[in-house]
Amino acid sequence: MERISTIYREKFGYPPAHIARAPGRVNLLGEHVDYNDGFVLPAAIDRATYVAFSPTNARHSTLVAADFDQQASFSAESIPTKTQADSSPLPEWGLYPAGVMWSLMEENLPIPSINAIFASDVPRGSGLSSSASVEMAFMIAWQTIGDWTLPPMKRALLGQKAENKYVGVNCGIMDQFASACGVENKLLLLDCRSLEWKTVPLPGNVSIVIADTTVRRKLTSGEYNKRRSACEEAVRLLKEDLPNVRSLRDVSVEEFDRLANKLPGEIEKRARHVVEEIGRSNQAEALLEAGDVQNFGRLMNECHVSLRDLYEVSCPELNVMVNVAQSLDGCYGARLTGAGFGGCTVNLVANEKVDDFAKALAKGYESETRLHPEIYITHASNGAGLMK
């Protein structure tokens, strides 16, 4: 926080009026099901995006991305064309805050101009939702300056709209939801259709360990959108026999097994992952409430196999990280987390083993890949809000 205030003073010549924080997230179960109306089990984490900001009388908002050492300016007039004050295109990172402004304008909310500096310790492209944390931090900034208030879920939905319609990534609601609605030391169980959610206890004898492969992917490359399209095509074909199906969430494992041979091979694999993963998510709450980390960890392991073999969003480095983790003492479950194609794994580890686990995981991964991973022992944190 001190760093961002210092950069703000150096850039604008006065201290920021406010600082907003919005966390990244890690998802423990329910991967690639949020856009299929399924159930997800994320937690906000203790890594976040920070925005130092003040109102300005200028026509344009001026934003500095401290992590890129780049600046962008835009206004209500330039937002629709995704351009800056000088008519040059917005940089890619600028699309996220600009998209937030666009979605708020669509709600006819007052969006005063701001001067802002932002920085993040959520690793970009790692599957920990750095983009959602940027969106939710700027949502707090404009809410503060605009002097209006939206409930956290509404902010999440507008952030999702910004990413879908403005940035062009067809993400579901989970990332923005977790960043907006996080609760300290709790997992969040979200029904992605009704948007009803509750907190679920994380047993006190385990820690969440995030392991970053340091291999990066780009969501907008189209692989994500291809899988989303495959799920939609599966629904269209299954409707011939199950006319009441609105999404894969409405198809039971038994129904899917009966009708799977009607689907083309790749579509069948993608849809099978989603149907079975929603089944796993439905088991999660009772297991966690009972403190049964052994069986919850087993579901995490099954999820990774499904993401690797059916949804095909893993990569060699993720598989190495998971295999090493699952071989270590104290690890209940390990799987890739996020969209895949690189990024991070999430591991559920016994508290008394967590330090040894982190060291052994880093060593094992490095010896097989020659890559130096980042291992974070993390905890569930509160959602987006104002720090100052």
Side-chain angles (χ1 to χ4, degrees):
M1 196 164 97
E2 193 53 47
R3 170 181 168 240
I4 201 168
S5 295
T6 302
I7 298 171
Y8 188 99
R9 271 194 298 272
E10 289 170 356
K11 169 67 183 172
F12 295 110
Y14 56 91
H18 304 283
I19 296 177
R21 170 198 167 274
R25 68 96 189 95
V26 67
N27 188 32
L28 273 77
L29 204 62
E31 207 65 79
H32 283 283
V33 304
D34 58 343
Y35 51 86
N36 289 289
D37 289 350
F39 298 85
V40 293
L41 197 71
I45 59 172
D46 53 357
R47 287 177 165 257
T49 296
Y50 300 88
V51 180
F53 62 98
S54 303
T56 175
N57 292 324
R59 286 194 52 170
H60 292 86
S61 288
T62 298
L63 276 51
V64 176
D67 299 334
F68 300 103
D69 196 22
Q70 291 180 12
Q71 178 175 313
S73 295
F74 51 80
S75 67
E77 290 74 36
S78 71
I79 287 278
T81 55
K82 300 183 184 177
T83 54
Q84 301 195 61
D86 62 1
S87 299
S88 64
L90 280 168
E92 186 178 4
W93 62 261
L95 293 172
Y96 295 91
V100 168
M101 186 174 176
W102 169 81
S103 68
L104 293 170
M105 284 163 47
E106 292 265 297
E107 298 290 306
N108 296 313
L109 289 162
I111 316 296
S113 296
I114 59 172
N115 289 330
I117 306 269
F118 75 101
S120 180
D121 59 10
V122 183
R124 285 184 301 279
S126 64
L128 301 178
S129 297
S130 58
S131 60
S133 72
V134 170
E135 291 157 4
M136 292 304 100
F138 275 97
M139 200 72 75
I140 295 291
W142 270 304
Q143 174 173 277
T144 304
I145 298 298
D147 199 26
W148 39 263
T149 304
L150 294 175
M153 183 60 87
K154 179 65 173 176
R155 295 198 303 266
L157 288 164
L158 290 175
Q160 181 199 16
K161 181 179 178 181
E163 196 150 341
N164 289 173
K165 307 289 189 191
Y166 195 86
V167 180
V169 177
N170 244 343
C171 66
I173 188 61
M174 174 177 61
D175 299 352
Q176 291 82 3
F177 157 75
S179 184
C181 299
V183 178
E184 189 89 17
N185 297 323
K186 298 285 189 183
L187 302 179
L188 311 171
L189 181 61
L190 171 69
D191 178 337
C192 294
R193 173 173 286 167
S194 70
L195 301 185
E196 291 176 7
W197 64 280
K198 61 175 79 170
T199 59
V200 178
L202 183 65
N205 60 340
V206 291
S207 295
I208 299 171
V209 179
I210 297 170
D212 189 346
T213 63
T214 71
V215 175
R216 291 294 176 259
R217 47 81 184 145
K218 264 179 88 70
L219 268 186
T220 43
S221 64
E223 288 299 324
Y224 178 98
N225 291 345
K226 278 186 202 168
R227 278 154 183 77
R228 188 160 182 162
S229 297
C231 294
E232 290 164 359
E233 177 63 8
V235 169
R236 189 184 71 77
L237 293 169
L238 290 168
K239 266 180 175 289
E240 293 171 11
D241 293 274
L242 304 169
N244 294 326
V245 166
R246 289 161 51 198
S247 69
L248 288 174
R249 183 250 185 77
D250 300 315
V251 183
S252 70
V253 174
E254 295 73 24
E255 286 170 331
F256 188 82
D257 286 342
R258 181 165 57 84
L259 299 169
N261 61 359
K262 299 198 170 190
L263 302 179
E266 186 174 284
I267 304 264
E268 188 268 339
K269 285 205 296 187
R270 305 296 186 252
R272 179 175 293 282
H273 162 73
V274 172
V275 170
E276 292 180 350
E277 179 72 348
I278 290 171
R280 284 186 283 271
S281 297
N282 284 333
Q283 298 173 53
E285 183 182 2
L287 292 175
L288 290 168
E289 292 282 3
D292 187 351
V293 289
Q294 197 85 43
N295 278 309
F296 182 78
R298 177 180 54 77
L299 295 179
M300 291 175 66
N301 293 336
E302 289 174 5
C303 171
H304 183 76
V305 171
S306 184
L307 289 165
R308 183 190 70 200
D309 298 346
L310 297 178
Y311 224 61
E312 296 181 283
V313 292
S314 194
C315 66
E317 295 84 359
L318 283 167
N319 295 333
V320 167
M321 191 74 89
V322 167
N323 291 340
V324 172
Q326 289 173 349
S327 75
L328 296 174
D329 197 21
C331 180
Y332 291 104
R335 67 175 195 83
L336 75 85
T337 187
F341 308 109
C344 293
T345 67
V346 60
N347 309 268
L348 206 59
V349 183
N351 285 342
E352 68 273 14
K353 305 282 189 183
V354 76
D355 292 329
D356 290 342
F357 172 86
K359 289 181 193 135
L361 181 57
K363 185 179 176 185
Y365 177 76
E366 196 163 345
S367 72
E368 286 204 44
T369 64
R370 301 288 176 262
L371 295 170
H372 182 66
E374 296 286 340
I375 313 290
Y376 316 116
I377 299 166
T378 188
H379 72 268
S381 80
N382 284 322
L386 209 55
M387 300 182 72
K388 168 191 165 188

